[in-house]
Amino acid sequence: MSEKTVELTETNFETTALRKDGKPVLIDYWATWCAPCRMMEPVLEALADELDGTAVIGKVNADEEPALAQAARVQAVPTLLVLKDGEVVDILMGVQSKNALKSKLEALAA
């Protein structure tokens, strides 16, 4: 995991993911056994580097944090939630392109 991606747990989820400072937040619900999740890892790390200071890229291990996955109604991994000011504005499932995610987050940050 990149230094700029944030591992989200029940301890830091509210303060990190549900922030209301105008920065968009992308949350990746993933699992170690999930091949598509592993495909997304370098994409999310690149996004975290490119959007450092503009957006927050967080990761929730759905196996280690089942309550967070259940609260988000995650039924399959990878599931990506896009939040703005603590509210879910988009839900994406499966592998996504870096450019599509970057465009979405930049539009929300503007």
Side-chain angles (χ1 to χ4, degrees):
M1 195 177 307
S2 163
E3 292 176 13
K4 294 180 182 161
T5 57
V6 180
E7 184 175 348
L8 298 172
T9 64
E10 285 191 54
T11 307
N12 68 353
F13 189 85
E14 194 167 322
T15 56
T16 305
L18 302 181
R19 58 196 304 145
K20 297 187 190 288
D21 62 1
K23 282 186 188 176
V25 178
L26 175 70
I27 304 172
D28 172 33
Y29 290 84
W30 67 285
T32 56
W33 48 264
C34 167
C37 298
R38 290 193 301 272
M39 291 171 58
M40 285 301 301
E41 191 167 340
V43 170
L44 297 173
E45 288 180 6
L47 269 179
D49 287 338
E50 291 177 28
L51 298 176
D52 187 30
T54 306
V56 175
I57 310 298
K59 295 179 66 70
V60 173
N61 184 321
D63 290 334
E64 293 178 4
E65 299 291 338
L68 290 178
Q70 196 170 37
R73 297 189 173 121
V74 172
Q75 296 180 351
V77 290
T79 293
L80 299 136
L81 268 58
V82 181
L83 292 86
K84 174 82 173 191
D85 292 323
E87 300 293 325
V88 176
V89 295
D90 205 353
I91 300 171
L92 308 161
M93 297 180 76
V95 175
Q96 305 292 318
S97 79
K98 183 183 82 153
N99 290 339
L101 293 172
K102 185 175 180 180
S103 295
K104 188 175 293 287
L105 293 169
E106 285 176 337
L108 287 170

